[in-house]
Amino acid sequence: MTDRIVPLVDARRAKPLPPVGTLRATGPEPGMDTRGRPLRDLRISVTDRCNFRCTYCMPKEVFGPDYQFLPRSAVLSFEEIARLARIFKSQGVSKIRLTGGEPLLRKDLERLIGMIVDIGGFELTLTTNASILARKARALKSAGLERITVSLDSLDDRVFRAMNDADYPVASVLAGIDAAAAAGLAPIKINMVVKRGVNDHTVLDMARHFKGSGHIVRFIEFMDVGATNGWRMDDVVPSAEIVRRIDAEMPLEAVDPNYYGEVAERWRYRDGTGEIGVISSVTQAFCRTCTRARLSTEGMLYTCLFATSGYDLRALLRDGSADDQIADAIDRIWQVRADRYSEIRTAETAALRKIEMSYIGG
Ligand code: SAM
Ligand code: SF4
Ligand code: SF4
């Protein structure tokens, strides 16, 4: 196990900003990256902390009692996040997802939601493990949150408790989902990370349970994010297999994407009782239309989930740079972007010291 205990801080190193002035020629069009993809989505990690220790994300052996989370002084304030959101909007971002770590652990998150809503022009959503959603749902909705994604890896209590490794019960997540629906955050997306031999035998139960509920379960292939989750290709259940298994009992048909760059491939039940999604980062890369950037809790900007380094926007926020200078830096960063990790994944790339999911924001 010791070979999985890597100095995570190494992977957070900043790379220099691309130089001013010479870059337009590298992008096919203004606002596009080198592969012709626009910047549309920003995922903001509001904390690197979490009360779960999901084995595929924050394994206990690494994220134990001695693990050094970010000190308060390193963390972006709500004012800094809102300022960046405004600047990102000027660069084409129209969708923001708040994430983490566990975003609901960030104190007064409702205040940040209100600040982003006041900027206007964003579709705003949040991904949560739902551990405190039942008591937060109404406040989140009143603050202006529109939609929510809840992670739930199994309806089998024993399997779920083992996967979150915090002995957290299924019933409380279901109560969180119900509270969110009652607060007006429905339809809710439910993320299930599927790991072979761990929870894949509970896929059908999950599909059956939420069929007809109006909520949308999204089955996610276990990914080699970070450097600590012991990822192996053998543990991945290809989405095509998930679709086949569900279709055999509850017939499905493919549905067109809702918008350019949608991550989940959509399928609907032929009997009209709802839909599911599959997210196939490993077996069917979707880099070609990837419009996402990620802002870490301490203000590092990453242009790929599987990045090994990012750009330090906090330095610009705190060195007196004006908004248009920060906007220009973001523009330059996006212009030189060439990421397509999932298209070029190999056993060697999987072993790279990539940024941890809990830090970069899922
Ligand atoms: N704590 C929140 C939660 O779990 O919903 C938000 C952050 S979490 C990093 C965001 C999403 O990433 C969750 O749905 C989680 O299941 C997913 N995730 C984390 N590690 C993953 C991995 N190795 N492969 C696939 N999905 C993963
Ligand atoms: Fe926490 Fe979410 Fe990671 Fe699980 S997936 S450890 S809930 S951040
Ligand atoms: Fe986007 Fe990187 Fe994922 Fe490809 S691997 S879809 S570029 S985040």
Side-chain angles (χ1 to χ4, degrees), residues 286-287 290 292 294 304-306 337 339 341-342:
F286 37 78
C287 302
C290 178
R292 289 173 293 287
R294 290 177 160 85
C304 179
L305 177 58
F306 300 90
R337 177 185 191 243
D339 304 283
Y341 178 85
S342 288

Side-chain angles (χ1 to χ4, degrees), residues 22-93:
T22 53
L23 294 167
R24 273 290 170 217
T26 64
E29 287 175 46
M32 302 286 183
D33 71 5
T34 63
R35 301 173 66 78
R37 301 168 296 191
L39 171 58
R40 291 281 176 271
D41 311 56
L42 181 65
R43 300 198 170 184
I44 302 176
S45 174
V46 294
T47 178
D48 60 336
R49 291 162 199 258
C50 187
N51 51 346
F52 284 14
R53 286 293 177 271
C54 301
T55 50
Y56 53 74
C57 178
M58 295 181 80
K60 253 183 190 159
E61 310 84 46
V62 177
F63 296 87
D66 297 331
Y67 183 78
Q68 299 267 310
F69 289 99
L70 294 171
R72 184 186 288 246
S73 60
V75 171
L76 293 188
S77 67
F78 288 167
E79 285 68 25
E80 287 173 323
I81 294 175
R83 182 177 171 208
L84 281 179
R86 203 173 306 110
I87 296 170
F88 271 100
K89 181 177 161 184
S90 75
Q91 296 307 298
V93 167

Side-chain angles (χ1 to χ4, degrees), residues 89-359:
K89 181 177 161 184
S90 75
Q91 296 307 298
V93 167
S94 57
K95 192 169 170 191
I96 288 183
R97 177 176 295 276
L98 301 177
T99 178
E102 173 45 44
L104 298 187
L105 295 186
R106 177 85 185 248
K107 196 160 169 278
D108 296 331
L109 188 71
E110 300 81 353
R111 192 165 75 81
L112 175 64
I113 290 172
M115 290 163 83
I116 295 173
V117 169
D118 285 347
I119 296 168
F122 295 117
E123 193 185 323
L124 178 62
T125 180
L126 173 148
T127 307
T128 175
N129 64 21
S131 54
I132 51 173
L133 182 58
R135 54 185 162 90
K136 287 261 184 183
R138 281 175 57 184
L140 293 169
K141 177 68 185 176
S142 319
L145 189 70
E146 290 160 23
R147 290 188 298 109
I148 201 158
T149 299
V150 169
S151 303
L152 176 60
D153 293 328
S154 183
L155 289 167
D156 179 319
D157 206 49
R158 195 185 48 79
V159 171
F160 181 58
R161 285 178 196 253
M163 283 184 85
N164 66 55
D165 213 7
D167 210 24
Y168 198 80
V170 170
S172 304
V173 177
L174 294 177
I177 291 171
D178 289 346
L185 290 164
I188 294 161
K189 288 183 180 153
I190 295 155
N191 281 357
M192 172 175 179
V193 176
V194 183
K195 232 182 133 176
R196 194 178 295 284
V198 175
N199 65 340
D200 62 319
H201 60 292
T202 68
V203 159
L204 278 173
D205 275 354
M206 186 70 93
R208 275 183 215 118
H209 182 90
F210 287 105
K211 184 173 185 279
S213 69
H215 307 321
I216 301 169
V217 183
R218 300 169 344 147
F219 300 93
I220 305 179
E221 290 177 350
F222 173 41
M223 295 185 285
D224 53 326
V225 203
T228 62
N229 66 10
W231 184 87
R232 294 178 322 138
M233 188 64 209
D234 288 353
D235 296 333
V236 177
V237 181
S239 291
E241 185 181 327
I242 304 273
V243 169
R244 255 195 324 274
R245 285 199 218 169
I246 297 174
D247 178 61
E249 179 181 313
M250 296 165 271
L252 292 166
E253 62 192 359
V255 191
D256 288 339
N258 281 314
Y259 53 86
Y260 174 88
E262 188 169 30
V263 170
E265 181 186 294
R266 298 171 61 206
W267 293 83
R268 76 174 151 233
Y269 294 112
R270 285 180 187 267
D271 65 5
T273 53
E275 69 177 75
I276 61 160
V278 288
I279 300 182
S280 326
S281 168
V282 180
T283 61
Q284 279 172 279
F286 37 78
C287 302
R288 229 168 22 87
T289 57
C290 178
T291 55
R292 289 173 293 287
R294 290 177 160 85
L295 182 67
S296 81
T297 312
E298 59 178 339
M300 296 278 279
L301 183 67
Y302 298 95
T303 55
C304 179
L305 177 58
F306 300 90
T308 51
S309 59
Y311 300 93
D312 188 357
L313 295 188
R314 188 187 62 193
L316 300 181
L317 285 171
R318 295 185 184 177
D319 75 359
S321 295
D323 285 6
D324 58 347
Q325 290 173 307
I326 300 177
D328 181 59
I330 293 168
D331 183 33
R332 281 183 275 140
I333 291 167
W334 195 257
Q335 281 186 62
V336 299
R337 177 185 191 243
D339 304 283
R340 55 186 197 104
Y341 178 85
S342 288
E343 291 179 352
I344 55 168
R345 174 186 285 105
T346 61
E348 285 75 41
T349 62
L352 287 173
R353 280 187 185 176
K354 296 176 247 89
I355 317 290
E356 292 302 313
M357 180 82 127
S358 53
Y359 169 84

